[in-house]
Every structure is written in structure tokens, then in C-alpha cells.
């Protein structure tokens, strides 16, 4: 069982054949398949189905139930939540997902709530203007005087942190402007409720939790992880 203060983040390469094969299982729901069918790119639709199936596999293993018994509902605000059907004594199990480029990430933890974000580091047009709009003054000020490459990295670090906080609170990003209270990145870091962590080169990643984070367990699944 995952330690409440040591949440786990699974890092998945979406090009992995064993992962992609999950799209052909019976784990994706009819709603998942309708959404996949609505996508213009069939390849993206298959990745969506595989992602939804993978979440059920990982949740099922941690919750000690079959993947097909895992029920995920969308709470007010759009946050997906795991519901332990018929298990009122089950301990809290939070999860959060993020997908960028070829990287799919799933955070699991024994907490009330988690928020995860991963982003490819890239040049964002008008990054300073976006930072001024979404971040607090001190946060946006971190971009001042940096080279273009340094600013790209720092902007994406700030963005993943803010997005992780938004997901952790179950609020849309539009409600996460500023840097007061729960929105303050540095305050969350100082309280050990927000951590940056390393993934692959060229990515930025952050995890926020309702509980203190002592460490993040990083896992990369092998083929056997997707055996149902």
C-alpha cells in the first residue's frame, strides 16, 4: 500500500505496444469510446482509450479489486474521482493524470486529493504576458532577466505548479489566478504540499497533495504491469 506521504507517479510512454493494446480491452467505457470516436485523429483516440484503461488497472491494483470494478466519476469542477463501490471502509485513494507529447503520467496516493501536471518544455509566445495574467507578481517576476531558454524552462515549471494546484483543489485553471492562500506556489512548496520532480529530459512536472509530501515514488511500468 502506498504511504500517504509518499505518493506514486507512474510515467508511461504512450508508444509502448503493451500500453496501446489496452485500447482493445473491455476496460474503456462506452463513454470513453464515444469520445475517442469523436477525435479527428484515430491514433489519438486509441491513446485516450489506453489511458482510461491504464488508470483502471493501476487503481484496481492499489485498491485490491479488478480493473473492471473500478468506477471513476467526475466531481463538480471537472475533477475525476475514484469511488470505492460497496466498500465504505476503504481508505482514501486519490489520483490525478496528465498527458503531454509521448508522456502519460498517473499519480496515486492515500490522500484526500492530488493534482498532477506534466508539460513539454517549449517556447510559449507572450509567456511574460501570460505569466502576468495567471501568476502572482513574485511568481511572474521569476522570468525577468532570464535568457530565452531559461525563461522557457521556468515558465513551464510555474505553469505545471499552478496547474497541479488547480487539479488538487478540483478547480478550473480560471479560478487559480494570483498567488494568495492555496494558490501561492512558494507557500505550497514550503509546506511540502507541492513538489517538482524529474521525468524525461525536456519535460517539466509537478505534484500537489492535500497531505505533506515527503517523497515521490517514480515508477516506469514494464509490460507485465498491463497484464489483466
Amino acid at each position: 500500500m502506498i504511504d500517504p506521504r509518499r505518493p506514486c507517479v507512474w510515467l508511461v510512454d504512450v508508444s509502448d505496444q503493451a500500453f496501446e493494446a489496452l485500447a482493445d480491452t473491455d476496460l474503456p467505457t462506452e463513454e470513453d469510446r464515444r469520445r475517442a470516436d469523436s477525435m479527428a485523429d484515430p491514433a489519438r483516440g486509441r491513446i485516450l482509450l489506453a489511458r482510461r484503461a491504464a488508470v483502471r488497472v493501476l487503481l484496481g491494483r492499489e485498491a485490491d479489486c479488478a480493473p473492471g470494478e473500478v468506477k471513476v466519476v467526475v466531481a463538480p469542477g471537472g475533477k475525476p474521482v475514484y469511488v470505492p463501490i460497496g466498500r465504505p471502509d476503504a481508505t482514501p485513494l486519490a489520483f490525478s493524470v496528465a498527458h503531454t507529447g509521448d508522456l502519460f503520467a498517473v499519480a496515486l496516493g492515500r490522500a484526500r486529493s492530488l493534482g498532477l501536471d506534466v508539460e513539454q518544455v517549449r517556447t510559449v509566445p507572450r509567456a511574460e504576458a501570460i505569466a502576468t495574467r495567471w501568476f502572482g507578481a513574485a511568481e511572474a517576476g521569476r522570468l525577468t532577466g532570464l535568457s530565452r531558454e531559461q525563461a522557457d524552462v521556468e515558465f513551464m515549471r510555474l505553469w505545471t505548479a499552478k496547474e497541479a494546484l488547480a487539479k488538487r483543489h478540483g478547480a478550473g485553471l480560471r479560478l487559480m489566478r494570483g498567488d494568495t492562500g492555496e494558490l501561492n506556489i512558494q507557500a505550497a512548496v514550503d509546506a511540502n504540499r507541492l513538489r517538482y520532480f524529474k521525468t524525461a529530459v525536456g519535460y517539466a512536472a509537478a505534484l500537489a497533495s492535500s497531505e505533506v509530501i515527503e517523497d515521490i515514488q517514480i515508477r516506469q511500468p514494464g509490460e507485465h504491469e498491463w497484464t489483466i
Side-chain angles (χ1 to χ4, degrees), residues 1-24:
M1 180 180 292
I2 297 173
D3 186 313
R5 295 193 173 202
R6 301 183 70 239
C8 173
V9 174
W10 291 88
L11 301 177
V12 182
D13 181 349
V14 299
S15 66
D16 178 75
Q17 291 184 348
F19 165 78
E20 185 186 356
L22 290 172
D24 299 319

Side-chain angles (χ1 to χ4, degrees), residues 29 46 53 57 59 73 81 85 87 104 118 127 152 201:
T29 65
R46 282 189 61 80
V57 171
L59 280 170
V73 301
V81 178
I85 301 297
R87 304 177 66 185
F104 173 52
V118 294
D152 290 343
V201 175

Side-chain angles (χ1 to χ4, degrees), residues 10-81:
W10 291 88
L11 301 177
V12 182
D13 181 349
V14 299
S15 66
D16 178 75
Q17 291 184 348
F19 165 78
E20 185 186 356
L22 290 172
D24 299 319
T25 68
D26 60 0
L27 292 180
T29 65
E30 288 302 315
E31 181 181 350
D32 294 336
R33 296 195 181 280
R34 282 194 295 270
R35 182 173 177 185
D37 289 342
S38 71
M39 293 183 168
D41 183 355
R44 290 184 61 194
R46 282 189 61 80
I47 291 174
L48 170 67
L49 295 176
R51 284 163 41 197
R52 297 294 175 84
V55 168
R56 292 183 173 92
V57 171
L58 296 176
L59 280 170
R61 288 187 180 162
E62 185 61 26
D64 194 24
C65 68
E69 297 174 355
V70 170
K71 182 174 178 59
V72 175
V73 301
V74 178
K79 182 178 178 63
V81 178

